[in-house]
Amino acid sequence: MSKNILVDARNTYCPGPLMELITYMRQADVGDTLELLSTDEGTVDDVPEWVNKIGHKIVSSEQIDEAWHIKICKLK
Amino acid sequence: MKKILVIGGGTGGSIVANNLSRQLSAKIRDGEVDITMLSASDKHMYQPGLLYVAFGEMMPDELYRDQASLLESSINFHVDPVEQFKLDENWVKTKSGKTYDYDILVIATGSRVMPNKTPGLSEGAHSFYTEKGAVELFKGLRDFEGGKLAIVVGVPHKCPIAPVEFTFALDQYFKDRGIRDKVEIKYHYPINRIHSIENVAKWAKPEFDKMGIEYETLFNVEEVDVENKIVKSMEGSEYKYDMLVSIPEHHGMPVIEDNDLGQNGWIPTDRHKLTMNGHDNVYVIGDTTNLPVSKTGSAAHFEAESVATNIASIIKIGTPVTEYDGKVMCFIEAGHEATYAKFDYLNPPDLKTPNKAMHWLKMSYNKMYWTSVRGLL
């Protein structure tokens, strides 16, 4: 059964949101959805670039208050 | 009597125990508080020194001290690693079969390299994250007369600044040997800039360009073809090397996973209180947390100070008095110069121009660490 995994990378600079996402993505199973929370403006470009290159899927991306919420489905 | 039990004798565990010992000295003397530390080893290693061992600048024996010599005399220290945690009943069981009950528990068991998680990496790549690996890497570098040298970085990894430091040191090492023009250095990094800290990436990129260091970003190692000396990424690219150096993926310690305390050995932790989620009398510090904070001795140090202050205040006045603010301060070695990155949850790193004085401060800190881990610096 697929899981929803929250990755709270708000207000962090090192290792940073994308590195956090990669960490949790490696632990996740195919079909799981990861929701990344980030206050780093660059995340909205950085994350889709990696996700598309590696072949996962961006489910949604929206800004709520000061944080970006990006949902990614692990496809492989 | 209040029993405080510290699991792990690394940087975080040692500082928390020593600070508590001094802050609660009167209560320990009066028999109201007991501090016990359980560790897997009677030795304490200064892990950042491994980078220098890899270049023949430090000998392995310089990295160690007897753990007992670093602790205040009022701390009961036992080399007897924990094998079982019973957090709902406030006791642990050790390898020797003894049980220790507690009122307050601090878990600081650290992390370990997991090169075996990537096919071919153990056999095909050097690494400086263990004493044996650092010595073998030095011998490999000493015998390297030219060719393609690749650096790859696993996720997550301890000491995020190490890949950049190692690459600068490589450039300097081959220049010093007079064969830099015969060595092609290629740096590979998991995200889409050459370091996770944006300011470090902005500073290091032109430095790499000046040094003639090639780099490829969005490169997460998938496997190493040892026979053909090719490293392949999850993103679909590959690189043929003559020598490969990896910063391997890290996990927490097996005892954490064996007791279902956290996936891959990382314990879910409150980012300000540093308590384990769901357990207010259990604190987690250093690499063992799942926090989005650098896995470094520096983070462990500042976390330990915060936790010790709060445990002492809880015992004295019944409430914590501070919160961990995400503070980290890391030296960054850049050949014969150095700089530093200091940041917390709200303030990004403001990188200074590298200089020789900071390099010598770092070299001094390599000795001062032993004062730091006693909680005196």
Side-chain angles (χ1 to χ4, degrees), chain B residues 327-373:
Chain B
K327 186 177 175 187
V328 180
M329 189 277 190
C330 293
F331 287 102
I332 305 172
E333 287 275 42
H336 293 324
E337 296 187 331
T339 180
Y340 66 94
K342 185 180 171 188
F343 51 96
D344 56 39
Y345 289 139
L346 298 177
N347 299 292
D350 176 22
L351 211 63
K352 311 294 182 199
T353 307
N355 58 66
K356 286 194 190 306
M358 194 54 67
H359 169 67
W360 287 113
L361 181 59
K362 167 65 176 173
M363 298 304 283
S364 303
Y365 182 80
N366 290 338
K367 306 291 182 191
M368 290 190 290
Y369 172 76
W370 303 113
T371 307
S372 171
V373 83

mmCIF file of all heavy atoms in Angstrom, chain B residues 327-373:
data_model
loop_
_atom_site.group_PDB
_atom_site.id
_atom_site.type_symbol
_atom_site.label_atom_id
_atom_site.label_comp_id
_atom_site.label_asym_id
_atom_site.label_seq_id
_atom_site.Cartn_x
_atom_site.Cartn_y
_atom_site.Cartn_z
ATOM 1 N N LYS B 327 21.640 26.038 14.995
ATOM 2 C CA LYS B 327 22.982 26.598 14.792
ATOM 3 C C LYS B 327 24.002 25.536 14.373
ATOM 4 O O LYS B 327 24.082 24.455 14.968
ATOM 5 C CB LYS B 327 23.455 27.271 16.079
ATOM 6 C CG LYS B 327 24.771 28.008 15.953
ATOM 7 C CD LYS B 327 25.090 28.705 17.279
ATOM 8 C CE LYS B 327 26.444 29.356 17.264
ATOM 9 N NZ LYS B 327 26.799 29.883 18.601
ATOM 10 N N VAL B 328 24.781 25.892 13.336
ATOM 11 C CA VAL B 328 25.892 25.072 12.859
ATOM 12 C C VAL B 328 27.008 26.027 12.459
ATOM 13 O O VAL B 328 26.746 27.099 11.907
ATOM 14 C CB VAL B 328 25.493 24.221 11.621
ATOM 15 C CG1 VAL B 328 26.670 23.384 11.139
ATOM 16 C CG2 VAL B 328 24.302 23.327 11.921
ATOM 17 N N MET B 329 28.243 25.664 12.766
ATOM 18 C CA MET B 329 29.385 26.475 12.331
ATOM 19 C C MET B 329 30.462 25.512 11.834
ATOM 20 O O MET B 329 30.962 24.698 12.603
ATOM 21 C CB MET B 329 29.911 27.321 13.495
ATOM 22 C CG MET B 329 30.951 28.363 13.116
ATOM 23 S SD MET B 329 32.594 27.645 13.023
ATOM 24 C CE MET B 329 33.594 29.074 12.863
ATOM 25 N N CYS B 330 30.772 25.579 10.547
ATOM 26 C CA CYS B 330 31.721 24.627 9.966
ATOM 27 C C CYS B 330 32.897 25.350 9.325
ATOM 28 O O CYS B 330 32.696 26.290 8.555
ATOM 29 C CB CYS B 330 31.047 23.796 8.873
ATOM 30 S SG CYS B 330 29.795 22.708 9.502
ATOM 31 N N PHE B 331 34.094 24.895 9.645
ATOM 32 C CA PHE B 331 35.270 25.345 8.896
ATOM 33 C C PHE B 331 35.208 24.762 7.485
ATOM 34 O O PHE B 331 34.677 23.669 7.276
ATOM 35 C CB PHE B 331 36.546 24.847 9.563
ATOM 36 C CG PHE B 331 36.886 25.551 10.846
ATOM 37 C CD1 PHE B 331 36.638 24.963 12.077
ATOM 38 C CD2 PHE B 331 37.470 26.814 10.808
ATOM 39 C CE1 PHE B 331 36.953 25.615 13.255
ATOM 40 C CE2 PHE B 331 37.796 27.474 11.988
ATOM 41 C CZ PHE B 331 37.533 26.873 13.215
ATOM 42 N N ILE B 332 35.766 25.492 6.534
ATOM 43 C CA ILE B 332 35.861 24.980 5.164
ATOM 44 C C ILE B 332 37.310 25.128 4.721
ATOM 45 O O ILE B 332 37.782 26.238 4.469
ATOM 46 C CB ILE B 332 34.938 25.753 4.196
ATOM 47 C CG1 ILE B 332 33.494 25.742 4.712
ATOM 48 C CG2 ILE B 332 35.027 25.162 2.793
ATOM 49 C CD1 ILE B 332 32.548 26.636 3.916
ATOM 50 N N GLU B 333 38.022 24.016 4.658
ATOM 51 C CA GLU B 333 39.408 24.023 4.204
ATOM 52 C C GLU B 333 39.433 24.175 2.683
ATOM 53 O O GLU B 333 38.666 23.522 1.973
ATOM 54 C CB GLU B 333 40.102 22.726 4.608
ATOM 55 C CG GLU B 333 40.417 22.631 6.091
ATOM 56 C CD GLU B 333 41.740 23.300 6.443
ATOM 57 O OE1 GLU B 333 42.029 24.399 5.918
ATOM 58 O OE2 GLU B 333 42.488 22.723 7.253
ATOM 59 N N ALA B 334 40.295 25.061 2.189
ATOM 60 C CA ALA B 334 40.412 25.283 0.740
ATOM 61 C C ALA B 334 41.896 25.329 0.377
ATOM 62 O O ALA B 334 42.464 26.399 0.199
ATOM 63 C CB ALA B 334 39.723 26.583 0.341
ATOM 64 N N GLY B 335 42.517 24.151 0.342
ATOM 65 C CA GLY B 335 43.960 24.101 0.098
ATOM 66 C C GLY B 335 44.700 24.620 1.320
ATOM 67 O O GLY B 335 44.477 24.149 2.431
ATOM 68 N N HIS B 336 45.568 25.626 1.138
ATOM 69 C CA HIS B 336 46.311 26.165 2.281
ATOM 70 C C HIS B 336 45.600 27.369 2.893
ATOM 71 O O HIS B 336 46.185 28.096 3.696
ATOM 72 C CB HIS B 336 47.728 26.553 1.856
ATOM 73 C CG HIS B 336 48.576 25.368 1.463
ATOM 74 N ND1 HIS B 336 48.479 24.150 2.100
ATOM 75 C CD2 HIS B 336 49.510 25.211 0.498
ATOM 76 C CE1 HIS B 336 49.320 23.293 1.551
ATOM 77 N NE2 HIS B 336 49.955 23.906 0.559
ATOM 78 N N GLU B 337 44.354 27.612 2.496
ATOM 79 C CA GLU B 337 43.534 28.659 3.105
ATOM 80 C C GLU B 337 42.238 28.017 3.618
ATOM 81 O O GLU B 337 41.987 26.833 3.376
ATOM 82 C CB GLU B 337 43.207 29.751 2.077
ATOM 83 C CG GLU B 337 44.438 30.497 1.581
ATOM 84 C CD GLU B 337 44.067 31.686 0.705
ATOM 85 O OE1 GLU B 337 43.008 31.630 0.060
ATOM 86 O OE2 GLU B 337 44.832 32.661 0.692
ATOM 87 N N ALA B 338 41.441 28.801 4.343
ATOM 88 C CA ALA B 338 40.166 28.262 4.837
ATOM 89 C C ALA B 338 39.184 29.405 5.085
ATOM 90 O O ALA B 338 39.575 30.575 5.190
ATOM 91 C CB ALA B 338 40.370 27.468 6.122
ATOM 92 N N THR B 339 37.910 29.056 5.162
ATOM 93 C CA THR B 339 36.875 29.998 5.562
ATOM 94 C C THR B 339 35.908 29.224 6.470
ATOM 95 O O THR B 339 36.255 28.130 6.956
ATOM 96 C CB THR B 339 36.151 30.607 4.340
ATOM 97 O OG1 THR B 339 35.157 31.517 4.787
ATOM 98 C CG2 THR B 339 35.524 29.558 3.448
ATOM 99 N N TYR B 340 34.726 29.762 6.727
ATOM 100 C CA TYR B 340 33.767 29.033 7.547
ATOM 101 C C TYR B 340 32.344 29.406 7.139
ATOM 102 O O TYR B 340 32.100 30.462 6.548
ATOM 103 C CB TYR B 340 33.983 29.303 9.043
ATOM 104 C CG TYR B 340 33.701 30.715 9.479
ATOM 105 C CD1 TYR B 340 32.446 31.077 9.981
ATOM 106 C CD2 TYR B 340 34.676 31.698 9.392
ATOM 107 C CE1 TYR B 340 32.189 32.379 10.376
ATOM 108 C CE2 TYR B 340 34.430 33.001 9.775
ATOM 109 C CZ TYR B 340 33.174 33.339 10.273
ATOM 110 O OH TYR B 340 32.916 34.624 10.650
ATOM 111 N N ALA B 341 31.432 28.518 7.454
ATOM 112 C CA ALA B 341 30.002 28.770 7.237
ATOM 113 C C ALA B 341 29.297 28.656 8.578
ATOM 114 O O ALA B 341 29.446 27.654 9.279
ATOM 115 C CB ALA B 341 29.434 27.753 6.250
ATOM 116 N N LYS B 342 28.553 29.696 8.948
ATOM 117 C CA LYS B 342 27.803 29.689 10.202
ATOM 118 C C LYS B 342 26.356 30.029 9.873
ATOM 119 O O LYS B 342 26.103 30.999 9.150
ATOM 120 C CB LYS B 342 28.395 30.735 11.144
ATOM 121 C CG LYS B 342 27.794 30.763 12.522
ATOM 122 C CD LYS B 342 28.487 31.843 13.342
ATOM 123 C CE LYS B 342 27.777 32.051 14.670
ATOM 124 N NZ LYS B 342 28.298 33.210 15.387
ATOM 125 N N PHE B 343 25.422 29.239 10.353
ATOM 126 C CA PHE B 343 24.024 29.481 10.010
ATOM 127 C C PHE B 343 23.121 28.820 11.047
ATOM 128 O O PHE B 343 23.577 28.040 11.891
ATOM 129 C CB PHE B 343 23.707 28.932 8.615
ATOM 130 C CG PHE B 343 24.122 27.505 8.391
ATOM 131 C CD1 PHE B 343 23.226 26.464 8.558
ATOM 132 C CD2 PHE B 343 25.418 27.202 8.010
ATOM 133 C CE1 PHE B 343 23.610 25.144 8.359
ATOM 134 C CE2 PHE B 343 25.819 25.880 7.816
ATOM 135 C CZ PHE B 343 24.907 24.856 7.993
ATOM 136 N N ASP B 344 21.834 29.176 10.998
ATOM 137 C CA ASP B 344 20.840 28.511 11.845
ATOM 138 C C ASP B 344 19.540 28.411 11.050
ATOM 139 O O ASP B 344 19.533 28.646 9.839
ATOM 140 C CB ASP B 344 20.671 29.239 13.190
ATOM 141 C CG ASP B 344 20.305 30.704 13.027
ATOM 142 O OD1 ASP B 344 19.503 31.015 12.123
ATOM 143 O OD2 ASP B 344 20.818 31.540 13.793
ATOM 144 N N TYR B 345 18.444 28.067 11.728
ATOM 145 C CA TYR B 345 17.197 27.857 10.985
ATOM 146 C C TYR B 345 16.739 29.110 10.236
ATOM 147 O O TYR B 345 16.079 29.019 9.208
ATOM 148 C CB TYR B 345 16.071 27.439 11.939
ATOM 149 C CG TYR B 345 16.201 26.041 12.514
ATOM 150 C CD1 TYR B 345 15.892 25.798 13.854
ATOM 151 C CD2 TYR B 345 16.609 24.964 11.737
ATOM 152 C CE1 TYR B 345 15.974 24.520 14.387
ATOM 153 C CE2 TYR B 345 16.703 23.685 12.266
ATOM 154 C CZ TYR B 345 16.384 23.473 13.601
ATOM 155 O OH TYR B 345 16.467 22.207 14.134
ATOM 156 N N LEU B 346 17.060 30.281 10.770
ATOM 157 C CA LEU B 346 16.535 31.516 10.182
ATOM 158 C C LEU B 346 17.567 32.336 9.418
ATOM 159 O O LEU B 346 17.195 33.225 8.640
ATOM 160 C CB LEU B 346 15.908 32.383 11.287
ATOM 161 C CG LEU B 346 14.707 31.747 12.005
ATOM 162 C CD1 LEU B 346 14.211 32.655 13.115
ATOM 163 C CD2 LEU B 346 13.582 31.448 11.023
ATOM 164 N N ASN B 347 18.836 32.083 9.641
ATOM 165 C CA ASN B 347 19.878 32.906 9.024
ATOM 166 C C ASN B 347 20.772 32.076 8.118
ATOM 167 O O ASN B 347 21.435 31.153 8.595
ATOM 168 C CB ASN B 347 20.723 33.579 10.115
ATOM 169 C CG ASN B 347 19.875 34.486 10.984
ATOM 170 O OD1 ASN B 347 19.385 35.514 10.535
ATOM 171 N ND2 ASN B 347 19.670 34.080 12.237
ATOM 172 N N PRO B 348 20.793 32.401 6.824
ATOM 173 C CA PRO B 348 21.628 31.628 5.898
ATOM 174 C C PRO B 348 23.107 31.911 6.123
ATOM 175 O O PRO B 348 23.466 32.932 6.712
ATOM 176 C CB PRO B 348 21.182 32.135 4.522
ATOM 177 C CG PRO B 348 20.621 33.486 4.766
ATOM 178 C CD PRO B 348 20.056 33.475 6.152
ATOM 179 N N PRO B 349 23.968 31.022 5.641
ATOM 180 C CA PRO B 349 25.406 31.225 5.804
ATOM 181 C C PRO B 349 25.878 32.462 5.053
ATOM 182 O O PRO B 349 25.457 32.708 3.924
ATOM 183 C CB PRO B 349 26.022 29.967 5.176
ATOM 184 C CG PRO B 349 24.911 29.023 5.002
ATOM 185 C CD PRO B 349 23.657 29.801 4.915
ATOM 186 N N ASP B 350 26.734 33.235 5.701
ATOM 187 C CA ASP B 350 27.346 34.395 5.066
ATOM 188 C C ASP B 350 28.839 34.081 4.955
ATOM 189 O O ASP B 350 29.571 34.208 5.923
ATOM 190 C CB ASP B 350 27.106 35.643 5.932
ATOM 191 C CG ASP B 350 27.807 36.860 5.356
ATOM 192 O OD1 ASP B 350 28.094 36.846 4.147
ATOM 193 O OD2 ASP B 350 28.065 37.801 6.119
ATOM 194 N N LEU B 351 29.244 33.655 3.773
ATOM 195 C CA LEU B 351 30.597 33.134 3.610
ATOM 196 C C LEU B 351 31.637 34.246 3.501
ATOM 197 O O LEU B 351 31.446 35.202 2.758
ATOM 198 C CB LEU B 351 30.637 32.282 2.341
ATOM 199 C CG LEU B 351 31.610 31.114 2.338
ATOM 200 C CD1 LEU B 351 31.232 30.098 3.402
ATOM 201 C CD2 LEU B 351 31.618 30.468 0.969
ATOM 202 N N LYS B 352 32.735 34.124 4.258
ATOM 203 C CA LYS B 352 33.839 35.088 4.183
ATOM 204 C C LYS B 352 34.882 34.600 3.177
ATOM 205 O O LYS B 352 34.954 33.418 2.859
ATOM 206 C CB LYS B 352 34.502 35.250 5.552
ATOM 207 C CG LYS B 352 33.541 35.493 6.698
ATOM 208 C CD LYS B 352 32.830 36.809 6.565
ATOM 209 C CE LYS B 352 31.900 37.051 7.759
ATOM 210 N NZ LYS B 352 30.874 38.045 7.498
ATOM 211 N N THR B 353 35.710 35.539 2.711
ATOM 212 C CA THR B 353 36.788 35.177 1.793
ATOM 213 C C THR B 353 37.808 34.288 2.518
ATOM 214 O O THR B 353 38.219 34.613 3.628
ATOM 215 C CB THR B 353 37.509 36.453 1.289
ATOM 216 O OG1 THR B 353 36.522 37.325 0.754
ATOM 217 C CG2 THR B 353 38.541 36.113 0.227
ATOM 218 N N PRO B 354 38.186 33.159 1.912
ATOM 219 C CA PRO B 354 39.173 32.278 2.566
ATOM 220 C C PRO B 354 40.497 33.002 2.817
ATOM 221 O O PRO B 354 40.895 33.863 2.029
ATOM 222 C CB PRO B 354 39.365 31.156 1.537
ATOM 223 C CG PRO B 354 38.147 31.173 0.710
ATOM 224 C CD PRO B 354 37.717 32.601 0.638
ATOM 225 N N ASN B 355 41.148 32.662 3.910
ATOM 226 C CA ASN B 355 42.460 33.259 4.215
ATOM 227 C C ASN B 355 43.313 32.262 5.003
ATOM 228 O O ASN B 355 42.795 31.264 5.517
ATOM 229 C CB ASN B 355 42.289 34.581 4.972
ATOM 230 C CG ASN B 355 41.513 34.390 6.256
ATOM 231 O OD1 ASN B 355 41.978 33.718 7.177
ATOM 232 N ND2 ASN B 355 40.313 34.957 6.315
ATOM 233 N N LYS B 356 44.590 32.585 5.101
ATOM 234 C CA LYS B 356 45.516 31.659 5.768
ATOM 235 C C LYS B 356 45.246 31.587 7.270
ATOM 236 O O LYS B 356 45.403 30.533 7.891
ATOM 237 C CB LYS B 356 46.955 32.112 5.511
ATOM 238 C CG LYS B 356 47.421 31.826 4.084
ATOM 239 C CD LYS B 356 48.921 31.973 3.971
ATOM 240 C CE LYS B 356 49.385 31.923 2.526
ATOM 241 N NZ LYS B 356 48.930 30.732 1.806
ATOM 242 N N ALA B 357 44.840 32.718 7.866
ATOM 243 C CA ALA B 357 44.601 32.738 9.318
ATOM 244 C C ALA B 357 43.516 31.736 9.708
ATOM 245 O O ALA B 357 43.636 31.031 10.717
ATOM 246 C CB ALA B 357 44.202 34.147 9.749
ATOM 247 N N MET B 358 42.454 31.659 8.893
ATOM 248 C CA MET B 358 41.367 30.729 9.204
ATOM 249 C C MET B 358 41.853 29.283 9.062
ATOM 250 O O MET B 358 41.439 28.397 9.816
ATOM 251 C CB MET B 358 40.171 31.003 8.277
ATOM 252 C CG MET B 358 38.877 30.352 8.714
ATOM 253 S SD MET B 358 38.364 30.728 10.400
ATOM 254 C CE MET B 358 38.002 32.482 10.276
ATOM 255 N N HIS B 359 42.754 29.055 8.088
ATOM 256 C CA HIS B 359 43.340 27.717 7.947
ATOM 257 C C HIS B 359 44.110 27.338 9.207
ATOM 258 O O HIS B 359 43.979 26.222 9.726
ATOM 259 C CB HIS B 359 44.266 27.678 6.724
ATOM 260 C CG HIS B 359 45.110 26.440 6.640
ATOM 261 N ND1 HIS B 359 44.582 25.185 6.421
ATOM 262 C CD2 HIS B 359 46.455 26.274 6.763
ATOM 263 C CE1 HIS B 359 45.565 24.298 6.401
ATOM 264 N NE2 HIS B 359 46.698 24.919 6.610
ATOM 265 N N TRP B 360 44.881 28.291 9.738
ATOM 266 C CA TRP B 360 45.668 27.962 10.935
ATOM 267 C C TRP B 360 44.762 27.819 12.157
ATOM 268 O O TRP B 360 45.050 27.036 13.063
ATOM 269 C CB TRP B 360 46.766 29.016 11.157
ATOM 270 C CG TRP B 360 47.860 28.836 10.129
ATOM 271 C CD1 TRP B 360 48.204 29.673 9.115
ATOM 272 C CD2 TRP B 360 48.704 27.680 9.982
ATOM 273 N NE1 TRP B 360 49.198 29.135 8.342
ATOM 274 C CE2 TRP B 360 49.533 27.915 8.851
ATOM 275 C CE3 TRP B 360 48.845 26.482 10.684
ATOM 276 C CZ2 TRP B 360 50.493 26.996 8.423
ATOM 277 C CZ3 TRP B 360 49.807 25.564 10.250
ATOM 278 C CH2 TRP B 360 50.604 25.831 9.135
ATOM 279 N N LEU B 361 43.642 28.546 12.164
ATOM 280 C CA LEU B 361 42.670 28.377 13.251
ATOM 281 C C LEU B 361 42.084 26.966 13.209
ATOM 282 O O LEU B 361 41.924 26.315 14.242
ATOM 283 C CB LEU B 361 41.563 29.437 13.152
ATOM 284 C CG LEU B 361 40.489 29.373 14.249
ATOM 285 C CD1 LEU B 361 41.099 29.524 15.638
ATOM 286 C CD2 LEU B 361 39.438 30.456 14.031
ATOM 287 N N LYS B 362 41.778 26.513 11.988
ATOM 288 C CA LYS B 362 41.246 25.158 11.842
ATOM 289 C C LYS B 362 42.283 24.123 12.291
ATOM 290 O O LYS B 362 41.953 23.153 12.982
ATOM 291 C CB LYS B 362 40.847 24.913 10.376
ATOM 292 C CG LYS B 362 40.578 23.458 10.018
ATOM 293 C CD LYS B 362 39.377 22.862 10.730
ATOM 294 C CE LYS B 362 39.122 21.434 10.246
ATOM 295 N NZ LYS B 362 38.098 20.753 11.000
ATOM 296 N N MET B 363 43.556 24.350 11.905
ATOM 297 C CA MET B 363 44.610 23.419 12.327
ATOM 298 C C MET B 363 44.729 23.418 13.856
ATOM 299 O O MET B 363 44.971 22.367 14.469
ATOM 300 C CB MET B 363 45.957 23.811 11.697
ATOM 301 C CG MET B 363 45.968 23.746 10.168
ATOM 302 S SD MET B 363 45.507 22.122 9.513
ATOM 303 C CE MET B 363 47.018 21.228 9.797
ATOM 304 N N SER B 364 44.533 24.583 14.457
ATOM 305 C CA SER B 364 44.570 24.665 15.922
ATOM 306 C C SER B 364 43.367 23.958 16.530
ATOM 307 O O SER B 364 43.478 23.276 17.549
ATOM 308 C CB SER B 364 44.563 26.131 16.378
ATOM 309 O OG SER B 364 45.642 26.815 15.806
ATOM 310 N N TYR B 365 42.201 24.127 15.857
ATOM 311 C CA TYR B 365 40.992 23.485 16.380
ATOM 312 C C TYR B 365 41.142 21.965 16.382
ATOM 313 O O TYR B 365 40.585 21.281 17.251
ATOM 314 C CB TYR B 365 39.749 23.891 15.579
ATOM 315 C CG TYR B 365 38.510 23.265 16.174
ATOM 316 C CD1 TYR B 365 37.915 23.827 17.297
ATOM 317 C CD2 TYR B 365 37.984 22.086 15.653
ATOM 318 C CE1 TYR B 365 36.822 23.222 17.887
ATOM 319 C CE2 TYR B 365 36.894 21.481 16.237
ATOM 320 C CZ TYR B 365 36.313 22.049 17.349
ATOM 321 O OH TYR B 365 35.238 21.440 17.933
ATOM 322 N N ASN B 366 41.898 21.448 15.408
ATOM 323 C CA ASN B 366 42.125 20.003 15.388
ATOM 324 C C ASN B 366 42.727 19.518 16.714
ATOM 325 O O ASN B 366 42.541 18.366 17.104
ATOM 326 C CB ASN B 366 43.043 19.613 14.224
ATOM 327 C CG ASN B 366 42.358 19.773 12.878
ATOM 328 O OD1 ASN B 366 41.129 19.779 12.792
ATOM 329 N ND2 ASN B 366 43.156 19.912 11.820
ATOM 330 N N LYS B 367 43.457 20.388 17.385
ATOM 331 C CA LYS B 367 44.000 20.054 18.721
ATOM 332 C C LYS B 367 43.022 20.473 19.823
ATOM 333 O O LYS B 367 42.873 19.777 20.824
ATOM 334 C CB LYS B 367 45.339 20.785 18.939
ATOM 335 C CG LYS B 367 46.369 20.558 17.848
ATOM 336 C CD LYS B 367 46.885 19.146 17.859
ATOM 337 C CE LYS B 367 47.949 18.939 16.794
ATOM 338 N NZ LYS B 367 48.275 17.496 16.615
ATOM 339 N N MET B 368 42.375 21.619 19.605
ATOM 340 C CA MET B 368 41.473 22.143 20.648
ATOM 341 C C MET B 368 40.209 21.298 20.795
ATOM 342 O O MET B 368 39.484 21.430 21.769
ATOM 343 C CB MET B 368 41.076 23.588 20.329
ATOM 344 C CG MET B 368 42.207 24.588 20.473
ATOM 345 S SD MET B 368 41.650 26.291 20.383
ATOM 346 C CE MET B 368 41.185 26.477 18.677
ATOM 347 N N TYR B 369 39.948 20.435 19.798
ATOM 348 C CA TYR B 369 38.743 19.596 19.863
ATOM 349 C C TYR B 369 38.639 18.871 21.201
ATOM 350 O O TYR B 369 37.560 18.725 21.767
ATOM 351 C CB TYR B 369 38.750 18.571 18.725
ATOM 352 C CG TYR B 369 37.641 17.557 18.851
ATOM 353 C CD1 TYR B 369 36.325 17.888 18.537
ATOM 354 C CD2 TYR B 369 37.893 16.258 19.326
ATOM 355 C CE1 TYR B 369 35.299 16.967 18.682
ATOM 356 C CE2 TYR B 369 36.875 15.331 19.469
ATOM 357 C CZ TYR B 369 35.580 15.689 19.143
ATOM 358 O OH TYR B 369 34.560 14.776 19.288
ATOM 359 N N TRP B 370 39.800 18.431 21.697
ATOM 360 C CA TRP B 370 39.773 17.644 22.928
ATOM 361 C C TRP B 370 39.322 18.477 24.126
ATOM 362 O O TRP B 370 38.842 17.943 25.116
ATOM 363 C CB TRP B 370 41.155 17.013 23.170
ATOM 364 C CG TRP B 370 41.543 16.167 21.987
ATOM 365 C CD1 TRP B 370 42.562 16.399 21.115
ATOM 366 C CD2 TRP B 370 40.877 14.982 21.518
ATOM 367 N NE1 TRP B 370 42.580 15.439 20.133
ATOM 368 C CE2 TRP B 370 41.557 14.545 20.358
ATOM 369 C CE3 TRP B 370 39.780 14.237 21.964
ATOM 370 C CZ2 TRP B 370 41.182 13.419 19.638
ATOM 371 C CZ3 TRP B 370 39.406 13.102 21.250
ATOM 372 C CH2 TRP B 370 40.104 12.708 20.107
ATOM 373 N N THR B 371 39.493 19.778 24.033
ATOM 374 C CA THR B 371 38.951 20.674 25.063
ATOM 375 C C THR B 371 37.457 20.884 24.814
ATOM 376 O O THR B 371 36.650 20.888 25.743
ATOM 377 C CB THR B 371 39.658 22.055 24.999
ATOM 378 O OG1 THR B 371 41.065 21.821 25.056
ATOM 379 C CG2 THR B 371 39.241 22.933 26.147
ATOM 380 N N SER B 372 37.118 21.003 23.535
ATOM 381 C CA SER B 372 35.717 21.212 23.148
ATOM 382 C C SER B 372 34.836 20.055 23.588
ATOM 383 O O SER B 372 33.757 20.251 24.140
ATOM 384 C CB SER B 372 35.662 21.398 21.626
ATOM 385 O OG SER B 372 34.358 21.397 21.166
ATOM 386 N N VAL B 373 35.309 18.833 23.360
ATOM 387 C CA VAL B 373 34.466 17.667 23.660
ATOM 388 C C VAL B 373 34.330 17.458 25.171
ATOM 389 O O VAL B 373 33.407 16.792 25.637
ATOM 390 C CB VAL B 373 35.026 16.419 22.935
ATOM 391 C CG1 VAL B 373 36.159 15.773 23.726
ATOM 392 C CG2 VAL B 373 33.915 15.416 22.660
#
